[in-house]
C-alpha cells in the first residue's frame, strides 16, 4: 500500500488559470511578498507563510481549498493544507509561475530595505 497522496484528477482537470502575477491581497493593499502560492481549486495567488501577511494560508482558512502549488519559477511541488504534507499534483493551466523577471521578494518597488528584519520579526511573533 502506497503512502503517496495524490490530488484527485477531477480537481486538477477543473483547475483555472492563476488570478495574476502576484499576491491578490498584497496587490490590492500595496503590500509585498516573499514567495507566491497558487490555489489549485480556484487559481487564487497568495503569499507564502514566510511573507508578512500569509495570504495563501488565509485563503485556505477562508475557503477550505486544500491544495496549492508553488507559483515560483523552477518549483513544481504541491501542498495539502488539510493533511499538512506534500502531495503529487499534475499539469495546471498556464502560467505555472510568476514572470521570471519578477523579483523575489516582490514587487521590487514595494519591498522595504529592511524586509529581512520584518520577515524575521513576523516569524518570531508567530512562534511565541
Amino acid at each position: 500500500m502506497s503512502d503517496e497522496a495524490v490530488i484527485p484528477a477531477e480537481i486538477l482537470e477543473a483547475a483555472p488559470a492563476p488570478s495574476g502575477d502576484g499576491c491578490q491581497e498584497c496587490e490590492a493593499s500595496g503590500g509585498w511578498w516573499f514567495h507566491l502560492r497558487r490555489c489549485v481549486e480556484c487559481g487564487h495567488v497568495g503569499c507564502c507563510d514566510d511573507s508578512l501577511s500569509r495570504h495563501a494560508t488565509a485563503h485556505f482558512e477562508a475557503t477550505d481549498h486544500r491544495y496549492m502549488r508553488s507559483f515560483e519559477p523552477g518549483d513544481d511541488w504541491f501542498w495539502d493544507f488539510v493533511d499538512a504534507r506534500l502531495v503529487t499534483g499534475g499539469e495546471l493551466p498556464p502560467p505555472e509561475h510568476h514572470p521570471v523577471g519578477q523579483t523575489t521578494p516582490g514587487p521590487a518597488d514595494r519591498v522595504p530595505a529592511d524586509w529581512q528584519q520584518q520577515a524575521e520579526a513576523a516569524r518570531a511573533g508567530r512562534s511565541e
Side-chain angles (χ1 to χ4, degrees):
M1 176 181 237
S2 173
D3 191 34
E4 183 177 357
V6 178
I7 298 174
E10 60 271 11
I11 291 176
L12 291 169
E13 290 165 4
S19 60
D21 292 337
C23 173
Q24 278 187 277
E25 292 82 1
C26 289
E27 290 285 17
S29 69
W32 60 277
W33 55 81
F34 188 50
H35 288 126
L36 296 171
R37 309 294 181 235
R38 171 186 179 176
C39 177
V40 173
E41 296 174 65
C42 74
H44 173 272
V45 175
C47 54
C48 72
D49 283 356
D50 286 331
S51 299
L52 300 182
S53 298
R54 304 174 65 214
H55 289 125
T57 294
H59 175 75
F60 159 69
E61 290 169 347
T63 64
D64 289 328
H65 292 171
R66 71 187 286 175
Y67 302 111
M68 71 96 189
R69 183 184 191 268
S70 174
F71 199 54
E72 294 296 318
D75 285 354
D76 62 0
W77 54 267
F78 291 79
W79 183 256
D80 179 347
F81 280 104
V82 172
D83 291 338
R85 68 178 185 169
L86 292 171
V87 293
T88 299
E91 294 295 318
L92 297 177
E96 293 188 354
H97 52 76
H98 65 73
V100 174
Q102 184 172 299
T103 61
T104 300
D109 63 333
R110 295 199 306 250
V111 178
D114 67 342
W115 71 268
Q116 291 171 311
Q117 291 84 1
Q118 287 188 32
E120 262 181 49
R123 270 193 303 277
R126 288 193 290 267
S127 64
E128 293 177 352

